[in-house]
Amino acid sequence: MKTNMINMTSGNTVHLLLTFSVPMLIGNIFQQLYNLADSVIVGQLIGADALAAIGATASITFFFFALCNGTGSAGGIVTSQFFGEGNDAKVKNCIVNTAFIMIVVPLVIGTIAFFCAGPILRLLNTPENIIADATAYMKIMCLNLFLVSAYNFVSSMLRALGDSKTPLYFLILSCILNIILDLIFVYTLHLGVIGAGVATLISTIICSILCLGFAFKTNPYFKFTRADLHLNSAILWKCIKLGVPISLQFSMIAISCMALQRVVNNYGAVAVAAFTATSRIEQLIHQPYQTLGAALSTYSGQNYGAKNKERLAEGFKKSMLMTAIFSLAMLPIMQFLGNAITRLFVKDPEVITMGAKALAITSWFYIFLGIIYMVRGVLNGVGDAFFSLLNGITEVIGRFTVPFLLTAIPLFNVWGIWWSVGIVWFLSAATAYWRYIYKRNRIEL
């Protein structure tokens, strides 16, 4: 049966990375359009306060999603290593064991998150005029947690097998449906922020069910026998051993983002709206780095399983070169077109001006953002669990200290928010690159 799987243990490195990452990039951009659709439609049709309400929940929901998806990502890395070894039985059993984890964890965390939504938003000093909408939107996202985790599980497994195209097809369909439902619920039925959340929920249900069904129907590794359907303590432990540090890494990043959000909230709804707009834009900037890093993770996992260390080093060098080219290309766009880009999200002139200046600040630091993703890709691919924890700790320390210090200096004031974003990227990149050199010098890479 014809599949979209790619074996990355041989062939031209750049061609393989681009072939794998471009469909995933398109898919991730469409995934970001979920948030962008909500933000643009709500910001344009309802106003800056509604946009701020959605933005105020971003770091919190990211925290709960991070807790769930770390183990799924680890399962994908372990699967890619078994695939590189050519061990089909372990590939199938790893998919089954990861599925078990990804059923239990999201149900538990989603339930807790639903009932904690309001108290957490108040703890972060969310402005009173937006807290009702923010709480309602966050609760809907908590209901969405299991569905998103189900989709991320399937896509992680398929990408581990070199298939980055199948998840793309269903994301495109789901994103189009989400935009249509956003317009119906927000514009036609006037359901406001709640309508935007319900549109995302319905779209995710359809995306998850179709993607999972398609994988069972077409991918040979999803065609299980009775021998495959058992829990394997060794594989479970391997996934948990790698997944817990990855979850902690992203959870700590999410906690640090909440700390930054608390600083932003102190400056009022205009600053929250501007921060929301720039964050949505930068989520798109993250995508080329993120997808190339994910491609490098699969590439590294397969080659590590095949014990081909020369290709590991080559993949990292080529990825860093592509990262530098993209970073330089984005710099003039953000420096000179910030107003036009921010205007896509909101009509308020004050928010637009603040957002444009913020983009001009952070764009100088994009290269460091790229370094983080490339190092994360290669080290996660070879199963370096300690790196994930180290990188998360660096983010937490940076975001808990730098924003508070900079915004307290009159020269920076509110702009210290965005300068701190760039400085934390730099600190994380420096720590990540040090870890890569450490591993390389011990002939582990």
Side-chain angles (χ1 to χ4, degrees):
M1 182 177 293
K2 184 179 183 297
T3 70
N4 292 318
M5 295 187 297
I6 300 174
N7 188 318
M8 306 179 84
T9 58
S10 62
N12 182 273
T13 296
V14 173
H15 175 73
L16 285 169
L17 290 172
L18 290 177
T19 299
F20 186 85
S21 62
V22 168
M24 192 160 50
L25 172 61
I26 298 170
N28 280 8
I29 289 174
F30 272 94
Q31 190 168 32
Q32 290 303 316
L33 286 176
Y34 269 88
N35 293 330
L36 285 173
D38 288 348
S39 299
V40 171
I41 292 171
V42 167
Q44 293 288 344
L45 297 181
I46 306 176
D49 281 356
L51 176 63
I54 290 178
T57 70
S59 58
I60 309 170
T61 53
F62 175 52
F63 170 72
F64 291 118
F65 280 99
L67 287 174
C68 295
N69 292 329
T71 307
S73 298
I77 292 167
V78 176
T79 300
S80 72
Q81 292 175 357
F82 289 144
F83 183 71
E85 287 178 12
N87 194 326
D88 292 353
K90 284 190 175 180
V91 168
K92 288 187 174 185
N93 194 230
C94 190
I95 293 173
V96 170
N97 281 266
T98 306
F100 171 76
I101 297 171
M102 295 304 291
I103 290 172
V104 175
V105 175
L107 285 176
V108 173
I109 292 177
T111 302
I112 295 171
F114 182 87
F115 291 105
C116 292
I120 294 175
L121 285 166
R122 292 193 178 279
L123 183 65
L124 295 179
N125 288 345
T126 303
E128 197 63 36
N129 59 318
I130 65 173
I131 196 165
D133 279 344
T135 302
Y137 187 81
M138 182 177 164
K139 286 188 173 183
I140 295 172
M141 292 302 101
C142 292
L143 296 175
N144 202 31
L145 182 62
F146 177 77
L147 299 167
V148 172
S149 296
Y151 169 77
N152 286 339
F153 156 71
V154 181
S155 61
S156 292
M157 294 301 107
L158 293 176
R159 287 165 183 161
L161 303 172
D163 179 6
S164 60
K165 293 181 180 179
T166 298
L168 165 65
Y169 303 147
F170 296 102
L171 267 179
I172 292 174
L173 173 64
S174 186
C175 182
I176 293 171
L177 179 60
N178 183 51
I179 293 172
I180 293 172
L181 292 176
D182 264 337
L183 291 171
I184 292 173
F185 292 145
V186 176
Y187 180 71
T188 304
L189 300 180
H190 306 289
L191 295 180
V193 169
I194 293 176
V198 172
T200 300
L201 184 64
I202 294 173
S203 302
T204 309
I205 291 173
I206 294 172
C207 180
S208 301
I209 292 174
L210 291 180
C211 191
L212 184 60
F214 189 83
F216 277 117
K217 186 173 179 62
T218 63
N219 192 293
Y221 288 99
F222 277 78
K223 296 184 182 299
F224 306 111
T225 64
R226 182 171 295 181
D228 300 316
L229 300 174
H230 68 276
L231 296 182
N232 183 312
S233 59
I235 291 178
L236 277 172
W237 173 242
K238 193 170 185 178
C239 292
I240 293 170
K241 183 181 175 182
L242 180 58
V244 169
I246 292 176
S247 292
L248 286 175
Q249 174 194 18
F250 288 113
S251 298
M252 285 189 287
I253 291 172
I255 291 171
S256 67
C257 288
M258 283 190 269
L260 179 59
Q261 185 70 54
R262 194 177 192 280
V263 175
V264 175
N265 290 345
N266 291 333
Y267 287 91
V270 171
V272 175
F275 185 73
T276 301
T278 56
S279 296
R280 293 291 188 257
I281 295 163
E282 283 171 357
Q283 282 172 3
L284 286 176
I285 297 298
H286 277 249
Q287 297 317 304
Y289 301 127
Q290 183 177 328
T291 53
L292 186 56
L296 185 59
S297 182
T298 298
Y299 172 94
S300 299
Q302 289 189 12
N303 282 285
Y304 187 73
K307 297 179 170 41
N308 196 338
K309 295 181 181 179
E310 291 77 12
R311 284 178 65 80
L312 284 173
E314 182 186 2
F316 180 71
K317 290 176 183 177
K318 297 293 176 63
S319 298
M320 288 290 284
L321 177 60
M322 288 186 276
T323 293
I325 293 171
F326 176 75
S327 300
L328 289 173
M330 287 296 101
L331 183 59
I333 294 174
M334 294 301 166
Q335 293 294 318
F336 300 111
L337 298 178
N339 270 286
I341 295 171
T342 309
R343 195 175 290 114
L344 294 172
F345 292 84
V346 68
K347 298 176 182 178
D348 189 312
E350 191 176 358
V351 175
I352 292 170
T353 301
M354 181 176 286
K357 185 172 180 179
L359 291 174
I361 292 170
T362 56
S363 58
W364 290 104
F365 296 88
Y366 286 167
I367 183 64
F368 302 112
L369 183 62
I371 292 172
I372 295 169
Y373 278 111
M374 295 313 105
V375 176
R376 182 183 297 165
V378 70
L379 293 183
N380 281 349
V382 302
D384 181 12
F386 178 74
F387 161 72
S388 298
L389 190 59
L390 177 67
N391 201 236
I393 291 171
T394 304
E395 285 258 5
V396 167
I397 294 174
R399 291 196 190 276
F400 268 95
T401 57
V402 179
F404 291 95
L405 291 173
L406 290 184
T407 53
I409 300 173
L411 177 65
F412 289 100
N413 197 17
V414 68
W415 305 112
I417 294 167
W418 288 280
W419 278 106
S420 71
V421 169
I423 291 172
V424 171
W425 288 345
F426 168 77
L427 294 173
S428 296
T431 306
Y433 193 72
W434 168 83
R435 180 63 180 175
Y436 173 78
I437 296 297
Y438 176 88
K439 297 285 285 185
R440 188 189 67 184
N441 289 344
R442 277 152 182 75
I443 323 176
E444 296 178 58
L445 293 176

